[in-house]
């Protein structure tokens, strides 16, 4: 097979990342500069601050990615970059850098959808993975069930109507006083709690024949529960709250993704996005997958969180189909899959 080397850039939220990926599956470097410590002070990502910080580090991150991969710009076949969805100011930093580089080197530019990137992390982790399969993309900004029909060919089966799963984790964690980002903290605390202690609501839209999600109801129920306890002077068991909240979220994610497999007759589920690191989600999917003969695939945690290697993989599969983006490509904060 012809060897194709992609330099990729990701800056859609609070990670500035650059990677060098060969043939969509082999990562030569994946440099990630995270702004988490800065945004922690504000309890969430501040868009203006994120853009400025991307600008400060992007050149260094790209140079490090080339150096660590032991390649020069001459060895690169194409430049992949996230152009949406995400924070517009943050996206523009990576996109403008990539466009400048593409113009100077006369290499093709390939715009990548961030969600497609998350799904593609699975091609890096699982070298034999080929479509068709179902992907569950769960991150701080997105919750999607996607039927991956072929490389770059997607059908969205379900999505959240309000909060993303990770967003609900972050908001509940904040209410529990656990800090940002809240997902990993709830995951850890929940291990000490009883998942059946409190019956938080689970939104299902089965009667509408959709596999959409809603997490604002469960989030509000947790906040109400905490407020009520505070007003009554009752001390809450935080571990029980965390475990019960997590149980409500994980059970709808799990049920809807297995229903998709049933509907489409598929036997592989590839999880993606920051929440894919959640241990309860992993355990629940693996255990039901074993029962139903459905294979569950996860990327390593470093490929679950925002990173440029996943963008390089997605860009490769577009590149070999002959796709190329124009140098007029603009950032699309609400880009659809
Ligand atoms: O994919 P990601 O790094 O960034 C976005 O594109 O949003 O996802 C970050 C999200 C945050 O909401 C974070 O709280 C959540 O992923 N997260 C987790 C865990 N690790 C990260 N949520 C639950 N359990 C975890 N172990
Ligand atoms: Zn992401």
């Amino acid at each position: 097979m012809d060897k194709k080397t992609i330099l990729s850039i990701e800056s859609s939220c609070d990670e500035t990342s650059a990677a060098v990926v060969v043939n969509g599956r082999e990562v030569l470097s994946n440099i990630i500069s995270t702004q988490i410590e800065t945004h922690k002070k504000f309890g969430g990502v501040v868009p203006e601050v994120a853009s400025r910080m991307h600008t400060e580090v992007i050149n260094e991150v790209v140079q490090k990615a080339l150096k660590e991969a032991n390649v020069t710009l001459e060895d690169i076949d194409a430049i992949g970059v996230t152009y949406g969805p995400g924070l517009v100011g943050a996206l523009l930093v990576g996109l403008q850098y990539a466009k400048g580089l593409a113009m100077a080197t006369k290499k093709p530019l390939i715009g990548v959808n961030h969600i497609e990137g998350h799904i593609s992390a699975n091609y890096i982790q699982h070298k034999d993975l080929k479509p068709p399969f179902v992907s569950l993309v769960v991150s701080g900004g997105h919750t999607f069930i996607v039927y991956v029909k072929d490389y770059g060919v997607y059908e969205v089966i379900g999505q959240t109507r309000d909060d993303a799963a990770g967003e609900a984790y972050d908001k509940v964690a904040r209410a529990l006083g656990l800090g940002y980002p809240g997902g990993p903290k709830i995951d850890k605390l929940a291990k000490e709690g009883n998942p059946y202690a409190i019956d938080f609501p689970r939104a299902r839209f089965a009667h509408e024949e959709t596999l959409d999600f809603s997490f604002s109801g469960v989030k509000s129920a947790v906040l109400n529960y905490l407020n009520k306890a505070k007003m009554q002077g009752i001390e809450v068991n935080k571990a029980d709250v965390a475990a019960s909240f997590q149980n409500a979220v994980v059970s709808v994610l799990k049920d809807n993704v297995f229903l998709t497999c049933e509907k489409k007759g598929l036997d592989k589920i590839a999880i993606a996005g920051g929440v894919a690191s959640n241990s309860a989600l992993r355990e629940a999917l693996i255990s039901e997958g074993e029962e139903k003969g459905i294979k569950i695939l996860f990327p390593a945690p470093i490929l679950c969180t925002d990173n440029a290697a996943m963008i390089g993989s997605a860009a490769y599969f577009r590149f070999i189909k002959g796709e190329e983006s124009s140098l007029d490509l603009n950032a699309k904060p609400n880009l659809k899959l």
Side-chain angles (χ1 to χ4, degrees), residues 62-278:
V62 172
Q63 298 311 321
K64 264 194 193 162
L66 291 168
K67 191 165 177 230
E68 199 180 294
N70 203 16
V71 297
T72 68
L73 284 173
E74 270 161 41
D75 305 311
I76 300 298
D77 293 292
I79 296 156
V81 64
T82 308
Y83 72 107
L87 303 169
V88 69
L91 288 163
L92 281 169
V93 177
L95 181 59
Q96 284 306 109
Y97 191 98
K99 283 161 71 170
L101 212 53
M103 193 171 171
T105 58
K106 299 192 171 58
K107 311 262 179 186
L109 178 77
I110 298 168
V112 171
N113 180 309
H114 181 80
I115 308 298
E116 172 175 35
H118 274 302
I119 295 170
S120 305
N122 282 286
Y123 296 132
I124 297 172
Q125 188 72 43
H126 309 286
K127 306 293 180 208
D128 302 325
L129 176 65
K130 289 186 183 77
F133 58 89
V134 176
S135 186
L136 172 67
V137 185
V138 268
S139 75
H142 317 283
T143 310
F144 286 104
I145 294 180
V146 181
Y147 168 27
V148 183
K149 292 180 178 170
D150 198 350
Y151 295 102
V153 184
Y154 309 101
E155 183 189 333
V156 175
I157 302 290
Q159 57 189 302
T160 183
R161 297 189 174 184
D162 39 60
D163 291 357
E167 191 180 353
Y169 265 94
D170 292 337
K171 287 178 179 166
V172 165
R174 197 199 299 201
L176 286 170
L178 301 176
Y180 174 86
K185 297 195 167 127
I186 291 196
D187 192 355
K188 194 165 165 223
L189 183 62
K191 291 191 201 312
E192 295 156 29
N194 172 6
Y196 306 103
I198 310 147
D199 190 17
F200 289 127
R202 288 138 214 244
R204 298 185 202 271
F205 302 100
H207 53 289
E208 292 177 34
E209 290 220 4
T210 121
L211 293 174
D212 277 355
F213 301 104
S214 164
F215 295 110
S216 78
V218 60
K219 173 201 69 188
S220 301
V222 175
L223 302 189
N224 290 342
Y225 178 90
L226 294 174
N227 282 337
K228 205 168 151 198
K230 197 173 168 191
M231 275 163 59
Q232 293 172 342
I234 302 167
E235 203 178 317
V236 297
N237 182 329
K238 287 188 180 183
D240 281 353
V241 174
S244 302
F245 159 75
Q246 178 162 271
N247 187 28
V249 172
V250 164
S251 75
V252 274
L253 289 173
K254 179 189 67 132
D255 291 351
N256 287 8
V257 79
F258 279 106
L259 275 170
T260 306
C261 283
E262 224 173 84
K263 263 186 161 178
K264 299 286 177 189
L266 297 168
D267 61 357
K268 270 179 284 179
I269 300 174
I271 318 298
V275 186
S277 296
N278 184 262

Side-chain angles (χ1 to χ4, degrees), residues 10 12-13 114-115 118 139-142 273-274 304-307 310:
E10 152 67 38
S12 65
C13 190
H114 181 80
I115 308 298
H118 274 302
S139 75
H142 317 283
C304 285
T305 186
D306 288 351
N307 69 90
M310 67 186 198

Side-chain angles (χ1 to χ4, degrees), residues 48-69:
E48 173 80 17
V49 175
S51 315
R52 285 168 180 269
M53 291 184 78
H54 285 308
T55 303
E56 281 166 13
V57 302
I58 190 149
N59 185 53
E60 192 189 336
V61 167
V62 172
Q63 298 311 321
K64 264 194 193 162
L66 291 168
K67 191 165 177 230
E68 199 180 294

